[in-house]
Amino acid sequence: VAFDGTGFGPDGTFWGGEFLRATADEFHRIGHLLPFALPGGEQAVRQPWRVAAALVQLARGNEAARLVLRDLTVQNDSVNAVLSLVGNASLAPITSSVGRLFDGVAALILGDTVASYEGQLAMRLESAADRTATGTYRLPVLEGTPLQLDWRPMIRQILDDRSQKCPASVMSMRFHRGLAQGVADVCQQTGLPVILTGGVFQNRLLTELVLDALQESGLDIGRHSSIPPNDGGLAVGQLAIALARLRRERERRSSVRREPQRRAEVSGDD
């Protein structure tokens, strides 16, 4: 389970919410977060209300997005300009990033429209969560190849809770719990051993909730300890892959050298 900010995927979109069947030699994408647009690309990282606009637009339409962003005191001209970008892949690239999902959800729940650095709103959202709060938001798994974790019902539930003046602390906990359950649902469908990795899993609350949700699954579960889950672990992963490829190449060369000898032995026997 690789959850992070944004990284360029082999399909030309920005990844960051992936379920991968992986070895040191190769990987296959077997699931991911339902993609959404990032209006303005990198600007959406600094202005997370842009992500919120895209999420609400896809979940409930343009008018709902305008109403929510007006409540966040974003000017109408800016809202209309950003909503017009959605659907233009060059100005609003597609992403499956859980890190960006956190940004958009934090904007909706906490009312924050600006971030000074990447991950700021995700940390604020985790800090705001009331662990005693009940309830959960739904992120159903869409069947297909690959599987997709659908955040749209969750956004609708957040909007309903906002309209009822539900406390941010309660909504934050419901979001974390719902995302964790969605992760567990995908993992249980695949039946593979589970490793939780990527910068999003620096979030202790989310990590603990996923582990709790998988407790009775019977799956082997791993998490980071001495190697960090964020970009600090990238070099170690690159080294592991390089060593595996080097070992494979040595084995290939060794088999090529043995083949003429084997053919000569067979010929001698004849």
Side-chain angles (χ1 to χ4, degrees):
V1 185
F3 285 1
D4 214 323
T6 48
F8 199 59
D11 64 350
T13 66
F14 288 100
W15 288 17
E18 317 311 313
F19 297 84
L20 307 173
R21 179 187 288 114
T23 68
D25 292 330
E26 61 183 2
F27 71 87
H28 299 281
R29 192 191 200 194
I30 58 175
H32 58 84
L33 189 71
L34 182 72
F36 55 91
L38 286 180
E42 281 298 308
Q43 267 190 299
V45 178
R46 302 295 184 187
Q47 299 177 336
W49 65 265
R50 292 169 175 263
V51 183
L55 295 175
V56 176
Q57 183 192 46
L58 286 169
R60 278 214 168 140
N62 282 334
E63 190 54 37
R66 291 190 184 94
L67 290 173
V68 169
L69 294 174
R70 191 180 305 155
D71 188 46
L72 296 177
T73 68
V74 180
Q75 294 184 349
N76 286 337
D77 290 346
S78 298
V79 173
N80 291 332
V82 163
L83 291 177
S84 69
L85 298 179
V86 178
N88 185 332
S90 61
L91 299 176
I94 299 301
T95 187
S96 57
S97 169
V98 173
R100 299 290 78 82
L101 177 70
F102 261 90
D103 290 344
V105 168
L108 293 174
I109 292 177
L110 303 177
D112 290 337
T113 57
V114 177
S116 300
Y117 53 89
E118 187 170 359
Q120 180 183 14
L121 267 62
M123 288 189 286
R124 289 202 61 221
L125 194 61
E126 178 187 9
S127 179
D130 176 2
R131 292 183 178 233
T132 67
T134 59
T136 185
Y137 295 137
R138 284 196 322 113
L139 282 86
V141 180
L142 301 180
E143 299 297 332
T145 305
L147 300 170
Q148 294 187 80
L149 197 54
D150 188 358
W151 45 265
R152 292 172 297 182
M154 176 197 68
I155 294 297
R156 297 182 191 114
Q157 289 179 293
I158 289 174
L159 295 177
D160 291 342
D161 277 353
R162 285 181 87 256
S163 68
Q164 298 297 319
K165 308 298 182 185
C166 183
S169 58
V170 174
M171 288 193 285
S172 175
M173 189 63 202
R174 290 174 178 174
F175 165 70
H176 281 86
R177 192 179 286 127
L179 179 58
Q181 186 58 56
V183 170
D185 290 343
V186 174
C187 291
Q188 288 172 323
Q189 286 201 36
T190 66
L192 294 171
V194 178
I195 302 292
L196 307 178
T197 192
V200 168
F201 285 108
Q202 292 182 108
N203 184 316
R204 181 174 179 175
L205 174 59
L206 178 65
T207 301
E208 290 177 350
L209 287 170
V210 172
L211 294 174
D212 288 345
L214 288 171
Q215 193 170 23
E216 299 180 2
S217 66
L219 301 175
D220 291 330
I221 303 170
R223 53 178 296 190
H224 286 262
S225 55
S226 58
I227 299 170
N230 63 352
D231 291 356
L234 286 178
V236 180
Q238 290 167 339
L239 284 171
I241 292 170
L243 285 171
R245 289 181 175 178
L246 180 62
R247 189 179 300 114
R248 184 175 58 186
E249 179 61 19
R250 285 174 176 171
E251 291 173 351
R252 186 190 68 79
R253 290 177 180 178
S254 176
S255 65
V256 169
R257 285 196 299 268
R258 287 197 302 268
E259 184 62 23
Q261 181 180 353
R262 189 186 68 83
R263 285 201 299 266
E265 290 172 349
V266 170
S267 176
D269 290 341
D270 291 340

